[in-house]
mmCIF file of all heavy atoms in Angstrom:
data_model
loop_
_atom_site.group_PDB
_atom_site.id
_atom_site.type_symbol
_atom_site.label_atom_id
_atom_site.label_comp_id
_atom_site.label_asym_id
_atom_site.label_seq_id
_atom_site.Cartn_x
_atom_site.Cartn_y
_atom_site.Cartn_z
ATOM 1 N N ALA A 92 12.786 -4.684 -18.845
ATOM 2 C CA ALA A 92 13.763 -5.246 -17.917
ATOM 3 C C ALA A 92 13.420 -4.758 -16.495
ATOM 4 O O ALA A 92 12.578 -3.866 -16.357
ATOM 5 C CB ALA A 92 15.187 -4.793 -18.256
ATOM 6 N N VAL A 93 14.076 -5.344 -15.520
ATOM 7 C CA VAL A 93 14.066 -4.789 -14.208
ATOM 8 C C VAL A 93 15.221 -3.763 -14.154
ATOM 9 O O VAL A 93 16.351 -4.125 -14.473
ATOM 10 C CB VAL A 93 14.265 -5.851 -13.111
ATOM 11 C CG1 VAL A 93 14.363 -5.227 -11.748
ATOM 12 C CG2 VAL A 93 13.103 -6.859 -13.159
ATOM 13 N N TYR A 94 14.917 -2.567 -13.747
ATOM 14 C CA TYR A 94 15.905 -1.505 -13.699
ATOM 15 C C TYR A 94 16.332 -1.293 -12.251
ATOM 16 O O TYR A 94 15.485 -1.170 -11.323
ATOM 17 C CB TYR A 94 15.354 -0.212 -14.257
ATOM 18 C CG TYR A 94 15.296 -0.224 -15.753
ATOM 19 C CD1 TYR A 94 14.385 -1.015 -16.456
ATOM 20 C CD2 TYR A 94 16.190 0.562 -16.499
ATOM 21 C CE1 TYR A 94 14.392 -1.030 -17.857
ATOM 22 C CE2 TYR A 94 16.177 0.539 -17.883
ATOM 23 C CZ TYR A 94 15.293 -0.252 -18.558
ATOM 24 O OH TYR A 94 15.264 -0.286 -19.946
ATOM 25 N N TYR A 95 17.669 -1.256 -12.024
ATOM 26 C CA TYR A 95 18.236 -1.104 -10.714
ATOM 27 C C TYR A 95 18.992 0.212 -10.615
ATOM 28 O O TYR A 95 19.783 0.570 -11.485
ATOM 29 C CB TYR A 95 19.180 -2.237 -10.424
ATOM 30 C CG TYR A 95 18.562 -3.604 -10.383
ATOM 31 C CD1 TYR A 95 18.469 -4.374 -11.524
ATOM 32 C CD2 TYR A 95 18.057 -4.149 -9.197
ATOM 33 C CE1 TYR A 95 17.899 -5.640 -11.518
ATOM 34 C CE2 TYR A 95 17.464 -5.393 -9.170
ATOM 35 C CZ TYR A 95 17.392 -6.115 -10.333
ATOM 36 O OH TYR A 95 16.810 -7.368 -10.291
ATOM 37 N N CYS A 96 18.776 0.904 -9.527
ATOM 38 C CA CYS A 96 19.603 2.053 -9.170
ATOM 39 C C CYS A 96 20.812 1.534 -8.416
ATOM 40 O O CYS A 96 20.740 0.611 -7.626
ATOM 41 C CB CYS A 96 18.796 2.990 -8.297
ATOM 42 S SG CYS A 96 19.673 4.470 -7.751
ATOM 43 N N ALA A 97 21.980 2.142 -8.666
ATOM 44 C CA ALA A 97 23.213 1.691 -8.022
ATOM 45 C C ALA A 97 24.096 2.869 -7.673
ATOM 46 O O ALA A 97 24.006 3.943 -8.295
ATOM 47 C CB ALA A 97 23.980 0.709 -8.931
ATOM 48 N N ALA A 98 24.963 2.689 -6.711
ATOM 49 C CA ALA A 98 25.919 3.723 -6.272
ATOM 50 C C ALA A 98 27.303 3.109 -6.125
ATOM 51 O O ALA A 98 27.461 1.937 -5.773
ATOM 52 C CB ALA A 98 25.454 4.333 -4.939
ATOM 53 N N SER A 99 28.320 3.955 -6.392
ATOM 54 C CA SER A 99 29.693 3.516 -6.274
ATOM 55 C C SER A 99 30.590 4.661 -5.834
ATOM 56 O O SER A 99 30.369 5.795 -6.195
ATOM 57 C CB SER A 99 30.182 2.975 -7.623
ATOM 58 O OG SER A 99 31.524 2.567 -7.553
ATOM 59 N N ILE A 100 31.591 4.314 -5.038
ATOM 60 C CA ILE A 100 32.582 5.305 -4.624
ATOM 61 C C ILE A 100 33.503 5.656 -5.776
ATOM 62 O O ILE A 100 33.900 6.812 -5.923
ATOM 63 C CB ILE A 100 33.401 4.791 -3.405
ATOM 64 C CG1 ILE A 100 32.443 4.556 -2.214
ATOM 65 C CG2 ILE A 100 34.517 5.774 -3.057
ATOM 66 C CD1 ILE A 100 33.121 3.838 -1.075
ATOM 67 N N ALA A 101 33.806 4.681 -6.616
ATOM 68 C CA ALA A 101 34.631 4.880 -7.791
ATOM 69 C C ALA A 101 33.770 4.979 -9.043
ATOM 70 O O ALA A 101 32.569 4.650 -9.034
ATOM 71 C CB ALA A 101 35.625 3.709 -7.974
ATOM 72 N N VAL A 102 34.336 5.483 -10.135
ATOM 73 C CA VAL A 102 33.624 5.553 -11.400
ATOM 74 C C VAL A 102 33.716 4.201 -12.082
ATOM 75 O O VAL A 102 34.828 3.751 -12.448
ATOM 76 C CB VAL A 102 34.219 6.675 -12.293
ATOM 77 C CG1 VAL A 102 33.471 6.682 -13.657
ATOM 78 C CG2 VAL A 102 34.098 7.996 -11.634
ATOM 79 N N VAL A 103 32.602 3.522 -12.253
ATOM 80 C CA VAL A 103 32.571 2.186 -12.828
ATOM 81 C C VAL A 103 31.408 2.029 -13.728
ATOM 82 O O VAL A 103 30.480 2.851 -13.769
ATOM 83 C CB VAL A 103 32.508 1.088 -11.718
ATOM 84 C CG1 VAL A 103 33.723 1.139 -10.803
ATOM 85 C CG2 VAL A 103 31.214 1.292 -10.899
ATOM 86 N N THR A 104 31.405 0.941 -14.533
ATOM 87 C CA THR A 104 30.231 0.594 -15.371
ATOM 88 C C THR A 104 29.858 -0.866 -15.197
ATOM 89 O O THR A 104 28.671 -1.137 -15.061
ATOM 90 C CB THR A 104 30.536 0.861 -16.865
ATOM 91 O OG1 THR A 104 31.668 0.127 -17.292
ATOM 92 C CG2 THR A 104 30.755 2.355 -17.128
ATOM 93 N N ALA A 105 30.798 -1.759 -15.163
ATOM 94 C CA ALA A 105 30.513 -3.178 -15.047
ATOM 95 C C ALA A 105 29.661 -3.498 -13.857
ATOM 96 O O ALA A 105 29.905 -3.006 -12.743
ATOM 97 C CB ALA A 105 31.802 -4.015 -15.007
ATOM 98 N N PRO A 106 28.593 -4.287 -14.020
ATOM 99 C CA PRO A 106 27.659 -4.585 -12.937
ATOM 100 C C PRO A 106 28.333 -5.080 -11.620
ATOM 101 O O PRO A 106 27.930 -4.688 -10.554
ATOM 102 C CB PRO A 106 26.727 -5.624 -13.524
ATOM 103 C CG PRO A 106 26.712 -5.303 -14.974
ATOM 104 C CD PRO A 106 28.099 -4.875 -15.309
ATOM 105 N N SER A 107 29.374 -5.875 -11.798
ATOM 106 C CA SER A 107 30.015 -6.441 -10.603
ATOM 107 C C SER A 107 30.765 -5.429 -9.772
ATOM 108 O O SER A 107 31.141 -5.738 -8.641
ATOM 109 C CB SER A 107 30.967 -7.578 -11.020
ATOM 110 O OG SER A 107 32.017 -7.055 -11.842
ATOM 111 N N LEU A 108 30.996 -4.240 -10.320
ATOM 112 C CA LEU A 108 31.843 -3.251 -9.637
ATOM 113 C C LEU A 108 31.052 -2.203 -8.802
ATOM 114 O O LEU A 108 31.661 -1.461 -8.053
ATOM 115 C CB LEU A 108 32.719 -2.527 -10.638
ATOM 116 C CG LEU A 108 33.676 -3.418 -11.434
ATOM 117 C CD1 LEU A 108 34.472 -2.583 -12.410
ATOM 118 C CD2 LEU A 108 34.614 -4.144 -10.495
ATOM 119 N N TRP A 109 29.748 -2.173 -8.934
ATOM 120 C CA TRP A 109 28.996 -1.234 -8.172
ATOM 121 C C TRP A 109 28.866 -1.667 -6.712
ATOM 122 O O TRP A 109 28.768 -2.885 -6.421
ATOM 123 C CB TRP A 109 27.558 -1.023 -8.811
ATOM 124 C CG TRP A 109 27.662 -0.325 -10.102
ATOM 125 C CD1 TRP A 109 27.917 -0.939 -11.320
ATOM 126 C CD2 TRP A 109 27.535 1.040 -10.357
ATOM 127 N NE1 TRP A 109 27.935 0.022 -12.330
ATOM 128 C CE2 TRP A 109 27.732 1.242 -11.734
ATOM 129 C CE3 TRP A 109 27.297 2.165 -9.545
ATOM 130 C CZ2 TRP A 109 27.653 2.521 -12.350
ATOM 131 C CZ3 TRP A 109 27.254 3.443 -10.131
ATOM 132 C CH2 TRP A 109 27.420 3.550 -11.526
ATOM 133 N N ASP A 110 28.843 -0.752 -5.785
ATOM 134 C CA ASP A 110 28.928 -1.033 -4.379
ATOM 135 C C ASP A 110 27.536 -1.222 -3.722
ATOM 136 O O ASP A 110 27.429 -2.042 -2.770
ATOM 137 C CB ASP A 110 29.692 0.059 -3.634
ATOM 138 C CG ASP A 110 31.108 0.194 -4.129
ATOM 139 O OD1 ASP A 110 31.806 -0.850 -4.191
ATOM 140 O OD2 ASP A 110 31.535 1.354 -4.424
ATOM 141 N N TYR A 111 26.581 -0.482 -4.120
ATOM 142 C CA TYR A 111 25.258 -0.471 -3.482
ATOM 143 C C TYR A 111 24.163 -0.567 -4.526
ATOM 144 O O TYR A 111 24.313 0.012 -5.604
ATOM 145 C CB TYR A 111 25.075 0.792 -2.628
ATOM 146 C CG TYR A 111 26.178 1.009 -1.624
ATOM 147 C CD1 TYR A 111 27.193 1.899 -1.933
ATOM 148 C CD2 TYR A 111 26.202 0.293 -0.424
ATOM 149 C CE1 TYR A 111 28.221 2.108 -1.005
ATOM 150 C CE2 TYR A 111 27.250 0.505 0.486
ATOM 151 C CZ TYR A 111 28.238 1.416 0.187
ATOM 152 O OH TYR A 111 29.282 1.617 1.077
ATOM 153 N N TRP A 112 23.071 -1.252 -4.173
ATOM 154 C CA TRP A 112 21.994 -1.507 -5.108
ATOM 155 C C TRP A 112 20.647 -1.268 -4.500
ATOM 156 O O TRP A 112 20.426 -1.537 -3.317
ATOM 157 C CB TRP A 112 22.046 -2.971 -5.581
ATOM 158 C CG TRP A 112 23.251 -3.296 -6.380
ATOM 159 C CD1 TRP A 112 24.478 -3.675 -5.894
ATOM 160 C CD2 TRP A 112 23.356 -3.321 -7.794
ATOM 161 N NE1 TRP A 112 25.329 -3.909 -6.952
ATOM 162 C CE2 TRP A 112 24.673 -3.712 -8.110
ATOM 163 C CE3 TRP A 112 22.471 -3.049 -8.846
ATOM 164 C CZ2 TRP A 112 25.130 -3.824 -9.446
ATOM 165 C CZ3 TRP A 112 22.912 -3.160 -10.137
ATOM 166 C CH2 TRP A 112 24.224 -3.580 -10.433
ATOM 167 N N GLY A 113 19.717 -0.781 -5.319
ATOM 168 C CA GLY A 113 18.318 -0.756 -4.942
ATOM 169 C C GLY A 113 17.646 -2.095 -5.220
ATOM 170 O O GLY A 113 18.301 -3.040 -5.676
ATOM 171 N N GLN A 114 16.359 -2.185 -4.954
ATOM 172 C CA GLN A 114 15.641 -3.447 -5.106
ATOM 173 C C GLN A 114 15.177 -3.725 -6.511
ATOM 174 O O GLN A 114 14.784 -4.852 -6.805
ATOM 175 C CB GLN A 114 14.436 -3.471 -4.119
ATOM 176 C CG GLN A 114 13.192 -2.754 -4.637
ATOM 177 C CD GLN A 114 13.288 -1.236 -4.629
ATOM 178 O OE1 GLN A 114 14.227 -0.668 -4.094
ATOM 179 N NE2 GLN A 114 12.316 -0.585 -5.277
ATOM 180 N N GLY A 115 15.171 -2.709 -7.352
ATOM 181 C CA GLY A 115 14.736 -2.847 -8.710
ATOM 182 C C GLY A 115 13.304 -2.446 -8.955
ATOM 183 O O GLY A 115 12.476 -2.546 -8.042
ATOM 184 N N THR A 116 13.015 -1.983 -10.180
ATOM 185 C CA THR A 116 11.651 -1.663 -10.576
ATOM 186 C C THR A 116 11.435 -2.146 -11.982
ATOM 187 O O THR A 116 12.302 -1.984 -12.855
ATOM 188 C CB THR A 116 11.398 -0.146 -10.434
ATOM 189 O OG1 THR A 116 10.022 0.139 -10.713
ATOM 190 C CG2 THR A 116 12.259 0.680 -11.372
ATOM 191 N N GLN A 117 10.292 -2.774 -12.204
ATOM 192 C CA GLN A 117 10.008 -3.399 -13.501
ATOM 193 C C GLN A 117 9.565 -2.351 -14.523
ATOM 194 O O GLN A 117 8.680 -1.537 -14.263
ATOM 195 C CB GLN A 117 8.898 -4.454 -13.344
ATOM 196 C CG GLN A 117 8.483 -5.088 -14.663
ATOM 197 C CD GLN A 117 9.518 -6.010 -15.216
ATOM 198 O OE1 GLN A 117 10.069 -6.847 -14.506
ATOM 199 N NE2 GLN A 117 9.798 -5.876 -16.523
ATOM 200 N N VAL A 118 10.155 -2.429 -15.707
ATOM 201 C CA VAL A 118 9.716 -1.635 -16.856
ATOM 202 C C VAL A 118 9.328 -2.567 -17.975
ATOM 203 O O VAL A 118 10.131 -3.442 -18.367
ATOM 204 C CB VAL A 118 10.836 -0.686 -17.356
ATOM 205 C CG1 VAL A 118 10.456 -0.026 -18.667
ATOM 206 C CG2 VAL A 118 11.118 0.375 -16.303
#
Side-chain angles (χ1 to χ4, degrees):
V93 176
Y94 283 71
Y95 297 90
C96 179
S99 178
I100 298 171
V102 178
V103 298
T104 58
S107 63
L108 299 179
W109 293 85
D110 299 311
Y111 307 99
W112 295 84
Q114 83 287 350
T116 186
Q117 176 71 48
V118 171

